[in-house]
PDB file of all heavy atoms in Angstrom:
ATOM      1  N   GLN A   1       0.802  -1.187  -0.063  1.00 98.00           N
ATOM      2  CA  GLN A   1      -0.031   0.082  -0.052  1.00 98.00           C
ATOM      3  C   GLN A   1       0.921   1.248   0.033  1.00 98.00           C
ATOM      4  O   GLN A   1       2.042   1.169   0.470  1.00 98.00           O
ATOM      5  CB  GLN A   1      -1.053  -0.001   1.225  1.00 98.00           C
ATOM      6  CG  GLN A   1      -0.247  -0.125   2.511  1.00 98.00           C
ATOM      7  CD  GLN A   1      -1.270  -0.270   3.668  1.00 98.00           C
ATOM      8  OE1 GLN A   1      -2.196   0.507   3.771  1.00 98.00           O
ATOM      9  NE2 GLN A   1      -1.196  -1.228   4.503  1.00 98.00           N
ATOM     10  N   ILE A   2       0.229   2.288  -0.529  1.00 97.00           N
ATOM     11  CA  ILE A   2       1.017   3.572  -0.632  1.00 97.00           C
ATOM     12  C   ILE A   2       0.037   4.636  -0.382  1.00 97.00           C
ATOM     13  O   ILE A   2      -1.075   4.742  -0.845  1.00 97.00           O
ATOM     14  CB  ILE A   2       1.708   3.775  -1.964  1.00 97.00           C
ATOM     15  CG1 ILE A   2       2.645   5.021  -2.052  1.00 97.00           C
ATOM     16  CG2 ILE A   2       0.789   3.615  -3.197  1.00 97.00           C
ATOM     17  CD1 ILE A   2       3.470   4.954  -3.235  1.00 97.00           C
ATOM     18  N   THR A   3       0.411   5.624   0.464  1.00 95.00           N
ATOM     19  CA  THR A   3      -0.386   6.778   0.734  1.00 95.00           C
ATOM     20  C   THR A   3      -0.262   7.886  -0.392  1.00 95.00           C
ATOM     21  O   THR A   3       0.634   7.732  -1.219  1.00 95.00           O
ATOM     22  CB  THR A   3       0.055   7.478   2.107  1.00 95.00           C
ATOM     23  OG1 THR A   3       1.289   8.083   1.897  1.00 95.00           O
ATOM     24  CG2 THR A   3       0.077   6.427   3.276  1.00 95.00           C
ATOM     25  N   GLY A   4      -1.143   8.865  -0.380  1.00 90.00           N
ATOM     26  CA  GLY A   4      -1.067   9.866  -1.415  1.00 90.00           C
ATOM     27  C   GLY A   4       0.266  10.534  -1.332  1.00 90.00           C
ATOM     28  O   GLY A   4       0.762  11.139  -2.295  1.00 90.00           O
ATOM     29  N   GLY A   5       0.880  10.629  -0.195  1.00 89.00           N
ATOM     30  CA  GLY A   5       2.181  11.306   0.066  1.00 89.00           C
ATOM     31  C   GLY A   5       3.405  10.396  -0.195  1.00 89.00           C
ATOM     32  O   GLY A   5       4.495  10.879  -0.214  1.00 89.00           O
ATOM     33  N   GLY A   6       3.131   9.103  -0.434  1.00 92.00           N
ATOM     34  CA  GLY A   6       4.235   8.197  -0.913  1.00 92.00           C
ATOM     35  C   GLY A   6       4.724   7.329   0.258  1.00 92.00           C
ATOM     36  O   GLY A   6       5.689   6.474  -0.090  1.00 92.00           O
ATOM     37  N   SER A   7       4.074   7.291   1.264  1.00 96.00           N
ATOM     38  CA  SER A   7       4.556   6.380   2.366  1.00 96.00           C
ATOM     39  C   SER A   7       4.113   4.987   2.055  1.00 96.00           C
ATOM     40  O   SER A   7       2.968   4.818   1.481  1.00 96.00           O
ATOM     41  CB  SER A   7       4.045   6.749   3.803  1.00 96.00           C
ATOM     42  OG  SER A   7       4.485   8.009   4.197  1.00 96.00           O
ATOM     43  N   THR A   8       4.979   3.991   2.288  1.00 98.00           N
ATOM     44  CA  THR A   8       4.595   2.595   1.807  1.00 98.00           C
ATOM     45  C   THR A   8       4.499   1.612   2.946  1.00 98.00           C
ATOM     46  O   THR A   8       5.196   1.850   4.125  1.00 98.00           O
ATOM     47  CB  THR A   8       5.611   2.114   0.762  1.00 98.00           C
ATOM     48  OG1 THR A   8       6.946   2.154   1.345  1.00 98.00           O
ATOM     49  CG2 THR A   8       5.648   3.042  -0.385  1.00 98.00           C
ATOM     50  N   ASN A   9       3.876   0.501   2.732  1.00 98.00           N
ATOM     51  CA  ASN A   9       3.849  -0.590   3.683  1.00 98.00           C
ATOM     52  C   ASN A   9       3.672  -1.870   2.931  1.00 98.00           C
ATOM     53  O   ASN A   9       2.983  -1.902   1.926  1.00 98.00           O
ATOM     54  CB  ASN A   9       2.642  -0.370   4.784  1.00 98.00           C
ATOM     55  CG  ASN A   9       2.950  -1.233   5.972  1.00 98.00           C
ATOM     56  OD1 ASN A   9       3.951  -1.746   6.242  1.00 98.00           O
ATOM     57  ND2 ASN A   9       1.784  -1.492   6.568  1.00 98.00           N
ATOM     58  N   TYR A  10       4.226  -2.963   3.419  1.00 98.00           N
ATOM     59  CA  TYR A  10       4.181  -4.237   2.695  1.00 98.00           C
ATOM     60  C   TYR A  10       3.770  -5.392   3.606  1.00 98.00           C
ATOM     61  O   TYR A  10       4.053  -5.429   4.872  1.00 98.00           O
ATOM     62  CB  TYR A  10       5.516  -4.575   2.145  1.00 98.00           C
ATOM     63  CG  TYR A  10       6.059  -3.533   1.124  1.00 98.00           C
ATOM     64  CD1 TYR A  10       6.724  -2.401   1.670  1.00 98.00           C
ATOM     65  CD2 TYR A  10       5.763  -3.538  -0.196  1.00 98.00           C
ATOM     66  CE1 TYR A  10       7.277  -1.459   0.732  1.00 98.00           C
ATOM     67  CE2 TYR A  10       6.101  -2.592  -1.053  1.00 98.00           C
ATOM     68  CZ  TYR A  10       6.920  -1.511  -0.635  1.00 98.00           C
ATOM     69  OH  TYR A  10       7.464  -0.549  -1.519  1.00 98.00           O
ATOM     70  N   ALA A  11       3.131  -6.367   2.960  1.00 98.00           N
ATOM     71  CA  ALA A  11       2.944  -7.699   3.734  1.00 98.00           C
ATOM     72  C   ALA A  11       4.294  -8.267   4.045  1.00 98.00           C
ATOM     73  O   ALA A  11       5.165  -8.207   3.135  1.00 98.00           O
ATOM     74  CB  ALA A  11       2.034  -8.551   2.924  1.00 98.00           C
ATOM     75  N   ASP A  12       4.401  -8.985   5.037  1.00 98.00           N
ATOM     76  CA  ASP A  12       5.630  -9.647   5.335  1.00 98.00           C
ATOM     77  C   ASP A  12       6.138 -10.673   4.338  1.00 98.00           C
ATOM     78  O   ASP A  12       7.276 -10.803   4.028  1.00 98.00           O
ATOM     79  CB  ASP A  12       5.530 -10.517   6.702  1.00 98.00           C
ATOM     80  CG  ASP A  12       5.385  -9.585   7.893  1.00 98.00           C
ATOM     81  OD1 ASP A  12       5.811  -8.328   7.825  1.00 98.00           O
ATOM     82  OD2 ASP A  12       4.935 -10.126   8.909  1.00 98.00           O
ATOM     83  N   SER A  13       5.183 -11.185   3.552  1.00 97.00           N
ATOM     84  CA  SER A  13       5.502 -12.191   2.539  1.00 97.00           C
ATOM     85  C   SER A  13       6.187 -11.625   1.305  1.00 97.00           C
ATOM     86  O   SER A  13       6.840 -12.315   0.532  1.00 97.00           O
ATOM     87  CB  SER A  13       4.276 -12.913   2.015  1.00 97.00           C
ATOM     88  OG  SER A  13       3.304 -12.012   1.494  1.00 97.00           O
ATOM     89  N   VAL A  14       6.154 -10.196   1.107  1.00 98.00           N
ATOM     90  CA  VAL A  14       6.741  -9.605  -0.028  1.00 98.00           C
ATOM     91  C   VAL A  14       7.796  -8.530   0.351  1.00 98.00           C
ATOM     92  O   VAL A  14       8.487  -7.951  -0.521  1.00 98.00           O
ATOM     93  CB  VAL A  14       5.597  -8.900  -0.937  1.00 98.00           C
ATOM     94  CG1 VAL A  14       4.563  -9.980  -1.289  1.00 98.00           C
ATOM     95  CG2 VAL A  14       5.033  -7.734  -0.287  1.00 98.00           C
ATOM     96  N   LYS A  15       7.894  -8.300   1.680  1.00 98.00           N
ATOM     97  CA  LYS A  15       8.807  -7.252   2.154  1.00 98.00           C
ATOM     98  C   LYS A  15      10.243  -7.547   1.631  1.00 98.00           C
ATOM     99  O   LYS A  15      10.730  -8.679   1.741  1.00 98.00           O
ATOM    100  CB  LYS A  15       8.709  -7.062   3.587  1.00 98.00           C
ATOM    101  CG  LYS A  15       9.160  -5.828   4.154  1.00 98.00           C
ATOM    102  CD  LYS A  15       8.870  -5.734   5.681  1.00 98.00           C
ATOM    103  CE  LYS A  15       7.393  -5.700   5.949  1.00 98.00           C
ATOM    104  NZ  LYS A  15       7.011  -5.483   7.410  1.00 98.00           N
ATOM    105  N   GLY A  16      10.862  -6.554   1.064  1.00 98.00           N
ATOM    106  CA  GLY A  16      12.251  -6.634   0.572  1.00 98.00           C
ATOM    107  C   GLY A  16      12.343  -7.147  -0.813  1.00 98.00           C
ATOM    108  O   GLY A  16      13.475  -7.120  -1.420  1.00 98.00           O
ATOM    109  N   ARG A  17      11.156  -7.544  -1.451  1.00 98.00           N
ATOM    110  CA  ARG A  17      11.214  -7.945  -2.848  1.00 98.00           C
ATOM    111  C   ARG A  17      10.314  -7.255  -3.752  1.00 98.00           C
ATOM    112  O   ARG A  17      10.679  -7.072  -4.855  1.00 98.00           O
ATOM    113  CB  ARG A  17      10.644  -9.604  -2.830  1.00 98.00           C
ATOM    114  CG  ARG A  17      11.555 -10.493  -1.994  1.00 98.00           C
ATOM    115  CD  ARG A  17      11.095 -11.962  -2.279  1.00 98.00           C
ATOM    116  NE  ARG A  17       9.657 -12.181  -1.764  1.00 98.00           N
ATOM    117  CZ  ARG A  17       8.833 -12.568  -2.641  1.00 98.00           C
ATOM    118  NH1 ARG A  17       8.923 -12.778  -3.975  1.00 98.00           N
ATOM    119  NH2 ARG A  17       7.443 -12.797  -2.143  1.00 98.00           N
ATOM    120  N   PHE A  18       9.285  -6.572  -3.064  1.00 98.00           N
ATOM    121  CA  PHE A  18       8.354  -5.865  -3.951  1.00 98.00           C
ATOM    122  C   PHE A  18       8.527  -4.352  -3.556  1.00 98.00           C
ATOM    123  O   PHE A  18       8.731  -4.066  -2.480  1.00 98.00           O
ATOM    124  CB  PHE A  18       6.889  -6.275  -3.660  1.00 98.00           C
ATOM    125  CG  PHE A  18       6.459  -7.655  -4.275  1.00 98.00           C
ATOM    126  CD1 PHE A  18       7.365  -8.555  -4.732  1.00 98.00           C
ATOM    127  CD2 PHE A  18       5.106  -7.953  -4.233  1.00 98.00           C
ATOM    128  CE1 PHE A  18       7.038  -9.748  -5.267  1.00 98.00           C
ATOM    129  CE2 PHE A  18       4.713  -9.165  -4.758  1.00 98.00           C
ATOM    130  CZ  PHE A  18       5.675 -10.080  -5.150  1.00 98.00           C
ATOM    131  N   THR A  19       8.274  -3.458  -4.617  1.00 98.00           N
ATOM    132  CA  THR A  19       8.286  -2.061  -4.321  1.00 98.00           C
ATOM    133  C   THR A  19       7.088  -1.392  -4.959  1.00 98.00           C
ATOM    134  O   THR A  19       6.951  -1.549  -6.206  1.00 98.00           O
ATOM    135  CB  THR A  19       9.643  -1.417  -4.877  1.00 98.00           C
ATOM    136  OG1 THR A  19      10.816  -2.095  -4.269  1.00 98.00           O
ATOM    137  CG2 THR A  19       9.651   0.167  -4.605  1.00 98.00           C
ATOM    138  N   ILE A  20       6.349  -0.664  -4.209  1.00 98.00           N
ATOM    139  CA  ILE A  20       5.170  -0.048  -4.725  1.00 98.00           C
ATOM    140  C   ILE A  20       5.516   1.462  -4.982  1.00 98.00           C
ATOM    141  O   ILE A  20       6.335   2.031  -4.134  1.00 98.00           O
ATOM    142  CB  ILE A  20       3.882  -0.065  -3.764  1.00 98.00           C
ATOM    143  CG1 ILE A  20       2.659   0.426  -4.371  1.00 98.00           C
ATOM    144  CG2 ILE A  20       4.225   0.508  -2.427  1.00 98.00           C
ATOM    145  CD1 ILE A  20       1.505   0.171  -3.518  1.00 98.00           C
ATOM    146  N   SER A  21       5.002   2.068  -6.086  1.00 97.00           N
ATOM    147  CA  SER A  21       5.277   3.481  -6.293  1.00 97.00           C
ATOM    148  C   SER A  21       4.105   4.084  -7.039  1.00 97.00           C
ATOM    149  O   SER A  21       3.255   3.226  -7.500  1.00 97.00           O
ATOM    150  CB  SER A  21       6.762   3.596  -7.051  1.00 97.00           C
ATOM    151  OG  SER A  21       6.548   2.958  -8.321  1.00 97.00           O
ATOM    152  N   ARG A  22       4.186   5.320  -7.187  1.00 96.00           N
ATOM    153  CA  ARG A  22       3.020   5.997  -7.897  1.00 96.00           C
ATOM    154  C   ARG A  22       3.548   7.200  -8.583  1.00 96.00           C
ATOM    155  O   ARG A  22       4.471   7.931  -8.173  1.00 96.00           O
ATOM    156  CB  ARG A  22       1.907   6.331  -7.005  1.00 96.00           C
ATOM    157  CG  ARG A  22       2.175   7.343  -5.862  1.00 96.00           C
ATOM    158  CD  ARG A  22       1.109   7.390  -4.775  1.00 96.00           C
ATOM    159  NE  ARG A  22      -0.108   7.785  -5.291  1.00 96.00           N
ATOM    160  CZ  ARG A  22      -1.281   7.670  -4.600  1.00 96.00           C
ATOM    161  NH1 ARG A  22      -1.291   7.091  -3.393  1.00 96.00           N
ATOM    162  NH2 ARG A  22      -2.433   8.023  -5.093  1.00 96.00           N
ATOM    163  N   THR A  23       2.861   7.630  -9.624  1.00 94.00           N
ATOM    164  CA  THR A  23       3.045   8.879 -10.386  1.00 94.00           C
ATOM    165  C   THR A  23       1.763   9.487 -10.419  1.00 94.00           C
ATOM    166  O   THR A  23       0.954   9.254 -11.358  1.00 94.00           O
ATOM    167  CB  THR A  23       3.666   8.632 -11.738  1.00 94.00           C
ATOM    168  OG1 THR A  23       4.866   7.900 -11.755  1.00 94.00           O
ATOM    169  CG2 THR A  23       3.806   9.982 -12.404  1.00 94.00           C
ATOM    170  N   ASN A  24       1.505  10.438  -9.475  1.00 91.00           N
ATOM    171  CA  ASN A  24       0.196  11.131  -9.393  1.00 91.00           C
ATOM    172  C   ASN A  24      -0.228  11.873 -10.679  1.00 91.00           C
ATOM    173  O   ASN A  24      -1.284  11.884 -11.112  1.00 91.00           O
ATOM    174  CB  ASN A  24       0.148  12.002  -8.228  1.00 91.00           C
ATOM    175  CG  ASN A  24       0.085  11.215  -6.984  1.00 91.00           C
ATOM    176  OD1 ASN A  24      -0.287  10.045  -6.827  1.00 91.00           O
ATOM    177  ND2 ASN A  24       0.528  11.909  -5.825  1.00 91.00           N
ATOM    178  N   ALA A  25       0.711  12.418 -11.267  1.00 92.00           N
ATOM    179  CA  ALA A  25       0.523  13.242 -12.566  1.00 92.00           C
ATOM    180  C   ALA A  25      -0.022  12.335 -13.676  1.00 92.00           C
ATOM    181  O   ALA A  25      -0.697  12.820 -14.568  1.00 92.00           O
ATOM    182  CB  ALA A  25       1.760  13.988 -12.973  1.00 92.00           C
ATOM    183  N   LYS A  26       0.275  11.081 -13.659  1.00 94.00           N
ATOM    184  CA  LYS A  26      -0.250  10.101 -14.552  1.00 94.00           C
ATOM    185  C   LYS A  26      -1.361   9.220 -14.149  1.00 94.00           C
ATOM    186  O   LYS A  26      -1.773   8.258 -14.853  1.00 94.00           O
ATOM    187  CB  LYS A  26       0.915   9.219 -15.112  1.00 94.00           C
ATOM    188  CG  LYS A  26       2.035  10.016 -15.829  1.00 94.00           C
ATOM    189  CD  LYS A  26       3.106   9.150 -16.444  1.00 94.00           C
ATOM    190  CE  LYS A  26       4.085   9.844 -17.202  1.00 94.00           C
ATOM    191  NZ  LYS A  26       5.163   9.056 -17.805  1.00 94.00           N
ATOM    192  N   ASN A  27      -1.811   9.514 -12.960  1.00 93.00           N
ATOM    193  CA  ASN A  27      -2.883   8.634 -12.321  1.00 93.00           C
ATOM    194  C   ASN A  27      -2.406   7.120 -12.413  1.00 93.00           C
ATOM    195  O   ASN A  27      -3.299   6.288 -12.657  1.00 93.00           O
ATOM    196  CB  ASN A  27      -4.259   8.778 -12.981  1.00 93.00           C
ATOM    197  CG  ASN A  27      -5.027  10.093 -12.412  1.00 93.00           C
ATOM    198  OD1 ASN A  27      -4.323  10.904 -11.790  1.00 93.00           O
ATOM    199  ND2 ASN A  27      -6.193  10.116 -12.655  1.00 93.00           N
ATOM    200  N   THR A  28      -1.242   6.930 -12.150  1.00 95.00           N
ATOM    201  CA  THR A  28      -0.662   5.483 -12.312  1.00 95.00           C
ATOM    202  C   THR A  28       0.077   5.039 -11.136  1.00 95.00           C
ATOM    203  O   THR A  28       0.780   5.816 -10.510  1.00 95.00           O
ATOM    204  CB  THR A  28       0.248   5.488 -13.581  1.00 95.00           C
ATOM    205  OG1 THR A  28      -0.451   5.984 -14.655  1.00 95.00           O
ATOM    206  CG2 THR A  28       0.734   3.984 -13.777  1.00 95.00           C
ATOM    207  N   MET A  29      -0.139   3.778 -10.808  1.00 97.00           N
ATOM    208  CA  MET A  29       0.695   3.223  -9.711  1.00 97.00           C
ATOM    209  C   MET A  29       1.348   1.957 -10.232  1.00 97.00           C
ATOM    210  O   MET A  29       0.932   1.295 -11.173  1.00 97.00           O
ATOM    211  CB  MET A  29      -0.450   2.701  -8.566  1.00 97.00           C
ATOM    212  CG  MET A  29       0.183   2.024  -7.350  1.00 97.00           C
ATOM    213  SD  MET A  29      -0.969   1.712  -6.091  1.00 97.00           S
ATOM    214  CE  MET A  29      -2.093   0.514  -6.913  1.00 97.00           C
ATOM    215  N   TYR A  30       2.444   1.611  -9.654  1.00 98.00           N
ATOM    216  CA  TYR A  30       3.344   0.509 -10.071  1.00 98.00           C
ATOM    217  C   TYR A  30       3.589  -0.407  -8.987  1.00 98.00           C
ATOM    218  O   TYR A  30       3.526  -0.141  -7.732  1.00 98.00           O
ATOM    219  CB  TYR A  30       4.649   1.094 -10.549  1.00 98.00           C
ATOM    220  CG  TYR A  30       4.473   2.164 -11.556  1.00 98.00           C
ATOM    221  CD1 TYR A  30       4.480   3.506 -11.251  1.00 98.00           C
ATOM    222  CD2 TYR A  30       4.266   1.833 -12.930  1.00 98.00           C
ATOM    223  CE1 TYR A  30       4.387   4.497 -12.251  1.00 98.00           C
ATOM    224  CE2 TYR A  30       4.072   2.865 -14.021  1.00 98.00           C
ATOM    225  CZ  TYR A  30       4.108   4.181 -13.559  1.00 98.00           C
ATOM    226  OH  TYR A  30       3.988   5.146 -14.440  1.00 98.00           O
ATOM    227  N   LEU A  31       3.907  -1.640  -9.367  1.00 98.00           N
ATOM    228  CA  LEU A  31       4.501  -2.628  -8.413  1.00 98.00           C
ATOM    229  C   LEU A  31       5.642  -3.372  -9.057  1.00 98.00           C
ATOM    230  O   LEU A  31       5.402  -4.204 -10.047  1.00 98.00           O
ATOM    231  CB  LEU A  31       3.351  -3.622  -7.946  1.00 98.00           C
ATOM    232  CG  LEU A  31       3.804  -4.702  -6.797  1.00 98.00           C
ATOM    233  CD1 LEU A  31       3.992  -3.848  -5.573  1.00 98.00           C
ATOM    234  CD2 LEU A  31       2.706  -5.823  -6.705  1.00 98.00           C
ATOM    235  N   GLN A  32       6.868  -3.030  -8.605  1.00 98.00           N
ATOM    236  CA  GLN A  32       8.074  -3.754  -9.019  1.00 98.00           C
ATOM    237  C   GLN A  32       8.255  -5.027  -8.204  1.00 98.00           C
ATOM    238  O   GLN A  32       8.376  -4.940  -7.018  1.00 98.00           O
ATOM    239  CB  GLN A  32       9.281  -2.902  -8.937  1.00 98.00           C
ATOM    240  CG  GLN A  32      10.503  -3.555  -9.346  1.00 98.00           C
ATOM    241  CD  GLN A  32      10.595  -3.827 -10.791  1.00 98.00           C
ATOM    242  OE1 GLN A  32      10.159  -3.026 -11.624  1.00 98.00           O
ATOM    243  NE2 GLN A  32      11.157  -5.052 -11.147  1.00 98.00           N
TER     244      GLN A  32
END
């Protein structure tokens, strides 16, 4: 999960492997 301000939190099962991000100007969110 990611807040509007960019703070993130992850489930333990994916922590350290997944990265969530967002580009508000493009109304787009990503999951690496």
Side-chain angles (χ1 to χ4, degrees):
Q1 56 186 308
I2 184 167
T3 68
S7 297
T8 60
N9 197 21
Y10 299 91
D12 287 343
S13 60
V14 307
K15 199 171 294 183
R17 300 187 298 120
F18 289 11
T19 303
I20 188 172
S21 61
R22 64 193 296 166
T23 302
N24 288 338
K26 295 184 178 181
N27 278 18
T28 303
M29 180 174 66
Y30 307 95
L31 187 67
Q32 177 67 43

